[in-house]
Amino acid sequence: MLRRLGTVPKKRGSRVGETCPDIFELSDGNFAIIGTEATAALGPHLPPDAARADYERIVVISRDTLIHAKKDIPDA
């Protein structure tokens, strides 16, 4: 992992440092997300043009997590 995108969870108001959504940039240019697993709940509601492989999972992060990460997300 190269770096965290956004603010440290504790500074976003997390009282417990064990279960906080987070976003990390990886050395290969991809991103890793820590979030709440929601594949079973959200998978059936994906739009028709979206697909998910068996090895992929849908995770949910808070809006606050993404907003704080926005400043660190590279432009295309």
Side-chain angles (χ1 to χ4, degrees):
M1 293 188 187
L2 288 179
R3 65 186 179 123
R4 168 183 279 117
L5 278 68
T7 309
V8 176
K10 190 171 184 177
K11 289 186 178 181
R12 293 193 318 259
S14 174
R15 295 188 181 108
V16 181
E18 299 170 357
T19 57
C20 304
D22 228 331
I23 304 171
F24 297 93
E25 185 173 4
L26 305 177
S27 60
D28 65 1
N30 287 316
F31 296 90
I33 309 295
I34 298 173
T36 303
E37 208 285 332
T39 305
L42 297 177
H45 303 287
L46 288 174
D49 60 349
R52 181 189 63 79
D54 287 341
Y55 58 86
E56 294 176 316
R57 300 289 174 262
I58 300 170
V59 297
V60 175
I61 60 171
S62 67
R63 177 180 179 82
D64 191 54
T65 301
L66 188 58
I67 288 171
H68 277 89
K70 182 179 177 182
K71 64 180 175 52
D72 295 329
I73 297 172
D75 292 330

